[in-house]
């Protein structure tokens, strides 16, 4: 691990100002992703800004009946919250499907959203990776691609987004609240927060440099049957090959979002109109532009079958 300096801050705006004043600085709270990457020298921030003392760890009701989740609420506390379990069960289920209990105890809501989109080649510093070093190439293309993206990828990157929580947040149309160095607040719809790789895969989100996430807001509950199915190579502590988050209403309509398929949580709202017709109709439309490799072509059919299982369970 390379040397770095460290400071604690007392307000969100102070944290954002400190980040703007120190190019290359990183925020740290739970550190479940950042510290691993620092140990591997994939990330080498010159300065760490500890935001843990900011107290952004409350879950509060909003005037419209939704919830405002503080950026520092841990994954464990969010999954166990009574309102989340009752009204946003897909989110609770997605959180419990992610990582391990020890990591969920430390991982935060904002940190989960900001974890790096990555693949095994990203971790191997002997391999070319445009996410680690822009312009160096992508060793995953033409390499082992079984776990990697089948849609939304580019000639620069075919990694998949690892978060289970983010898939549920995308399904629920959450919004990300931020603050900048001037103390100005901004709201970013979750649909616009994560980005596809294009020719800049080193940039995972649309969050402006230096801005700090302060909360994630969930709209009023939408009812229905909440489901989250995750298919993975191991029963625990593994990223999804395919995951499906869904809310199914009594009349068969609803919403669906996929994980494990793209550089960000994958939701095509237009495809949701086909939910009453079944899983094949939905996935055919949602994955119409899929360009899988020979090794991961199975993911397209797996997404259909996983959604079919979700819809079958929702009818029980």
């Amino acid at each position: 691990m390379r040397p770095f300096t460290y400071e604690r801050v007392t307000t969100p705006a102070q944290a954002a100002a400190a980040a703007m004043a120190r190019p290359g600085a990183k925020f740290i709270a739970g550190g479940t992703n950042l510290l691993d990457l620092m140990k591997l020298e994939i990330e080498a921030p010159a300065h760490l800004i500890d935001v843990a003392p900011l107290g952004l760890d409350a879950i509060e009701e909003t005037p419209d009946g939704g919830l405002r989740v503080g950026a520092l609420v841990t994954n464990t506390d969010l999954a166990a919250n009574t309102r989340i379990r009752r009204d946003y069960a897909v989110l609770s289920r997605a959180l419990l499907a992610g990582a391990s209990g020890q990591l969920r105890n430390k991982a935060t809501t904002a940190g989960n959203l900001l974890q790096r989109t990555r693949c095994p080649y990203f971790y191997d510093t002997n391999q070319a990776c445009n996410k680690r070093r822009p312009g160096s190439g992508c060793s995953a293309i033409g390499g082992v691609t079984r776990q990697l993206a089948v849609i939304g990828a580019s000639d620069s990157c075919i990694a998949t987004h690892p978060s289970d929580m983010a898939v549920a947040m995308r399904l629920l149309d959450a919004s990300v609240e931020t603050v900048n160095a001037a103390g100005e607040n901004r709201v970013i719809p979750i649909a616009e927060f994560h980005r596809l790789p294009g020719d800049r895969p080193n940039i995972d989100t649309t969050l402006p440099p230096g801005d700090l996430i302060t909360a994630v807001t969930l709209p009023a509950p939408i009812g229905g049957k909440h489901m989250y199915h995750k298919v993975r190579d191991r029963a625990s502590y593994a990223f999804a090959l395919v995951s499906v988050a869904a809310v199914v209403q009594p009349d068969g309509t609803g919403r669906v979002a996929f994980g494990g398929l793209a550089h960000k949580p994958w939701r095509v709202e237009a495809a949701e109109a086909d939910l009453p017709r079944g899983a094949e109709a939905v996935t055919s439309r949602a994955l119409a532009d899929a360009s899988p490799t020979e090794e991961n072509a199975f993911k397209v059919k797996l997404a259909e079958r996983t959604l079919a299982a979700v819809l079958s369970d929702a009818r029980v």
Side-chain angles (χ1 to χ4, degrees), residues 38-51:
M38 289 175 65
K39 291 173 184 177
L40 294 170
E41 296 193 355
I42 294 170
E43 294 275 8
H47 187 64
L48 290 183
I49 302 163
D50 188 352
V51 297

Side-chain angles (χ1 to χ4, degrees), residues 160-173:
T160 53
H161 196 274
S163 173
D164 295 286
M165 185 194 80
V167 180
M169 291 287 195
R170 177 67 182 91
L171 182 81
L172 295 168
D173 284 329

Side-chain angles (χ1 to χ4, degrees), residues 179-199:
V179 65
N180 65 16
E184 299 166 335
N185 297 311
R186 182 185 180 200
V187 177
I188 307 172
I190 194 72
E192 300 172 10
F193 185 76
H194 295 105
R195 61 185 297 277
L196 294 177
D199 59 0

